[in-house]
């Protein structure tokens, strides 16, 4: 089959995701400064998480899991891919519209399902109001997710990867306008979500039209292809529900500790940077690529893609995880420590970030391993694994909360992440030679780990050397930049000294066509 620029796809999606996350940092720094971890912030976090939860459930996490492999195979064979895409989009739109209408009515109960600790205080009324404003976002972003999957299957990564930047920009503008004109900050932030959804949908629809797929909504039809889609999506929908239950467990535990939802949210935003840039980018590029290779019978190419994705993930994720653990406090202090986000918020947020850092490699490896199942139209096995991980998460988060407090929510998430990754890897061993590690990966993986540990030791030493500079208002930004740059330099040197990569190989990895 035609070779695909796999690593270039990783870099393209990862680069735009990095841009989105950097703009997202500005957004989160502004939220922290304006609202801190107070009741308005917590109410907004819960309200805005509701449409995002359903988005992952219906679109990104479940529907697209089934849609992308089927569409990629139709695109490869030329079997009316546009008709299939329009039928899928129409069915998704009708479903999401109905869910949105119901959710607007039962919003108070949805808020309690997310954060029972809000009952009886001002956060409950605020979250209910904000939730009703935010929820229509799910309609626009679900269609955006489907069109993004279509673009990714056609190896058009730009618009789908860049669209999330619009969400962050709209929210930033809303906060600036609210501060300038004296508007209610929580309401301004809530209204920005549906506005951003419209902007994102317009962007990817135009890109899909340029690709030759100007999709139109029509009356939903239960065609044989859609029946096949639903059969495959069914377990994925259930698996998506399991993932959301994990999130619900964490938020429920956190809602009983004042400020904890804010602490977990700010830490989550930071660890989502490497997860989004590396893990999600790999998953987005790898799923359609492996699906098309299976359709073409290219098992050797599929194995190569899987191993290079794993290599790429380890190369970038392991050092990122160690950095989140080792310099969690300086990161939180410099990025969020201003305005209403004071010293009392920095330490607990840094603790959560370090716990998330321990789980980061597991979450990224899930993004590498899941396409092996989804490309084979196997969504049942990941569902079983997700149920097991959900039980582990609930036991850890609820069981440990009386002992270690709010951080049990983060620890449960991390333990469940490693449980899920371990199961996915073990299950992939039965898929034959196409999913086995090659000699190149076996040689490089331990050297990557050694290099990352050397970097971690260097970061500890540099943190001690910089000392108070990391906390002084006039010096902390420069000090953090020096710390991060120093860590990157040490890691790069260690990579070359251990022989994990050569300079030529690093350049070739980015340029590689397959």
């Amino acid at each position: 089959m035609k070779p695909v620029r796999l690593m270039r796809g990783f870099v393209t999606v990862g680069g735009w995701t990095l841009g989105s996350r950097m703009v997202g940092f500005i957004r989160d720094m502004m939220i922290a400064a304006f609202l801190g971890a107070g009741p308005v912030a917590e109410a907004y976090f819960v309200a805005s998480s509701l449409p995002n939860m359903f988005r992952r459930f219906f679109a990104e996490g479940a529907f697209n899991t089934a849609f992308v492999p089927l569409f990629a195979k139709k695109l490869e064979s030329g079997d009316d891919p546009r008709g299939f895409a329009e039928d899928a989009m129409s069915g998704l739109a009708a479903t999401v519209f109905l869910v949105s209408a119901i959710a607007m009515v039962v919003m108070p109960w949805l808020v309690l399902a997310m954060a029972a600790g809000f009952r009886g205080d001002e956060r409950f009324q605020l979250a209910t109001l904000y939730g009703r404003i935010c929820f229509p976002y799910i309609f626009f972003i679900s269609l955006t997710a489907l069109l993004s999957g279509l673009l990714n299957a056609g190896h058009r990564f730009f618009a789908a990867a860049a669209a999330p930047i619009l969400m962050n920009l709209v929210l930033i503008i809303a906060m600036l306008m609210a501060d300038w004109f004296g508007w209610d900050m929580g309401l301004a932030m809530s209204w920005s979500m549906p506005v951003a959804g419209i902007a994102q949908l317009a962007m990817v629809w135009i890109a899909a039209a340029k690709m030759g797929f100007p999709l139109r909504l029509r009356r939903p039809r239960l065609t044989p292809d859609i029946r096949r889609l639903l059969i495959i999506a069914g377990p994925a929908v259930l698996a998506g529900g399991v993932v959301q239950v994990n999130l619900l467990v964490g938020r429920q535990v956190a809602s009983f500790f004042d400020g904890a939802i804010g602490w977990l949210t700010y830490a989550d935003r930071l660890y989502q940077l490497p997860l989004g840039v590396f893990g999600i980018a790999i998953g987005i590029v790898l799923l359609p690529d492996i699906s098309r290779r299976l359709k073409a019978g290219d098992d050797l190419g599929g194995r190569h893609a899987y191993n290079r994705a794993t290599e790429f993930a380890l190369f970038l994720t392991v050092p990122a995880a160690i950095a989140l653990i080792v310099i969690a406090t300086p990161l939180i202090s410099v990025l969020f420590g201003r305005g209403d986000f004071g010293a009392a918020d920095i330490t607990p947020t840094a603790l959560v970030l370090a716990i998330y850092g321990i789980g980061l490699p597991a979450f990224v490896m899930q993004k590498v391993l899941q396409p092996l199942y989804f490309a084979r139209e196997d969504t049942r096995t990941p569902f079983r694994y997700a149920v097991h991980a959900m039980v582990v998460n609930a036991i850890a988060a609820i069981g440990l909360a009386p002992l270690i407090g709010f951080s049990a929510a983060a620890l449960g998430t991390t333990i469940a992440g490693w449980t899920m990754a371990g199961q996915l890897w073990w299950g992939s061993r039965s898929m034959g030679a196409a999913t086995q590690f090659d000699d190149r990966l076996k040689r490089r993986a331990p050297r990557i780990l050694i290099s990352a540990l050397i970097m971690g030791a260097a970061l500890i030493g540099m943190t001690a050397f910089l000392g108070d500079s990391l906390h002084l208002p006039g010096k902390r930004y420069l000090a953090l930049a020096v710390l991060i740059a120093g860590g990157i330099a040490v890691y790069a040197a260690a990579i070359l000294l251990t022989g994990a990569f050569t300079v030529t190989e690093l350049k070739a990895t980015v340029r590689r066509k397959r």
Side-chain angles (χ1 to χ4, degrees), residues 343-488:
D345 298 312
I346 292 173
T347 298
T349 307
L351 172 61
V352 172
L353 179 60
I355 295 173
Y356 281 151
I358 296 171
L360 178 62
F363 291 116
V364 174
M365 286 308 302
Q366 288 179 38
K367 301 297 182 182
V368 176
L369 292 163
Q370 285 172 338
L372 298 177
Y373 296 85
F374 298 152
R376 291 168 171 79
E377 299 180 10
D378 178 10
T379 52
R380 295 179 181 273
T381 302
F383 167 63
R384 290 202 314 271
Y385 295 160
V387 171
H388 300 158
M390 177 191 70
V391 173
V392 170
N393 177 66
I395 292 173
I398 298 173
L400 292 175
L403 301 177
I404 62 175
F406 73 92
S407 61
L411 186 59
T413 299
T414 292
I415 294 173
W418 280 107
T419 301
M420 183 69 178
Q423 292 176 106
L424 288 168
W425 173 78
W426 186 261
S428 71
R429 298 173 70 223
S430 64
M431 295 179 183
T435 60
Q436 300 303 307
F437 296 149
D438 59 20
D439 291 338
R440 171 174 156 179
L441 179 60
K442 291 177 181 178
R443 177 177 64 86
R444 288 182 171 171
R447 302 182 187 199
I448 289 171
L449 176 60
I450 292 171
S451 300
L453 291 173
I454 293 172
M455 180 208 71
L459 286 174
I460 293 174
M462 286 187 287
T463 301
F465 176 77
L466 292 170
D468 292 339
S469 298
L470 288 164
H471 306 286
L472 296 175
K475 297 181 178 180
R476 59 181 183 168
Y477 295 106
L478 178 60
L480 181 63
V482 169
L483 183 62
I484 294 174
I488 293 172

Side-chain angles (χ1 to χ4, degrees), residues 5-69:
R5 297 179 181 271
L6 189 66
M7 290 299 173
R8 184 164 294 181
F10 295 159
V11 173
T12 299
V13 177
W16 279 105
T17 304
L18 175 61
S20 174
R21 297 307 166 102
M22 295 306 294
V23 177
F25 271 137
I26 298 173
R27 171 204 67 194
D28 294 332
M29 290 166 64
M30 291 173 64
I31 294 175
F34 285 130
L35 301 177
V40 175
E42 290 196 295
Y44 171 75
F45 290 144
V46 168
S48 62
S49 68
L50 281 166
N52 284 318
M53 179 184 72
F54 281 89
R55 177 199 73 192
R56 297 185 186 105
F57 185 78
F58 285 106
E60 292 174 354
F63 197 86
N64 262 11
T65 294
F67 170 76
V68 170

Side-chain angles (χ1 to χ4, degrees), residues 74-154:
K74 284 185 172 294
L75 193 63
E76 181 71 19
S77 63
D79 183 18
D80 190 21
R82 177 175 175 177
F84 173 66
E86 288 190 338
D87 284 334
M89 185 174 74
S90 300
L92 178 63
T95 302
V96 173
F97 183 84
L98 178 61
V99 169
S100 299
I102 295 173
M104 300 288 279
V105 176
V106 300
M107 187 57 65
W109 291 273
L110 286 177
V111 170
L112 289 178
M114 294 285 287
F118 284 11
R119 186 191 300 271
D121 65 39
E122 63 176 314
R123 296 177 298 175
F124 175 70
Q125 296 298 331
L126 288 172
T128 301
L129 173 61
Y130 297 163
R132 285 181 169 141
I133 297 171
C134 292
F135 208 87
Y137 174 72
I138 184 183
F139 179 82
F140 304 110
I141 200 61
S142 293
L143 299 186
T144 299
L146 182 139
L147 288 168
S148 296
L150 180 151
L151 291 167
N152 294 332

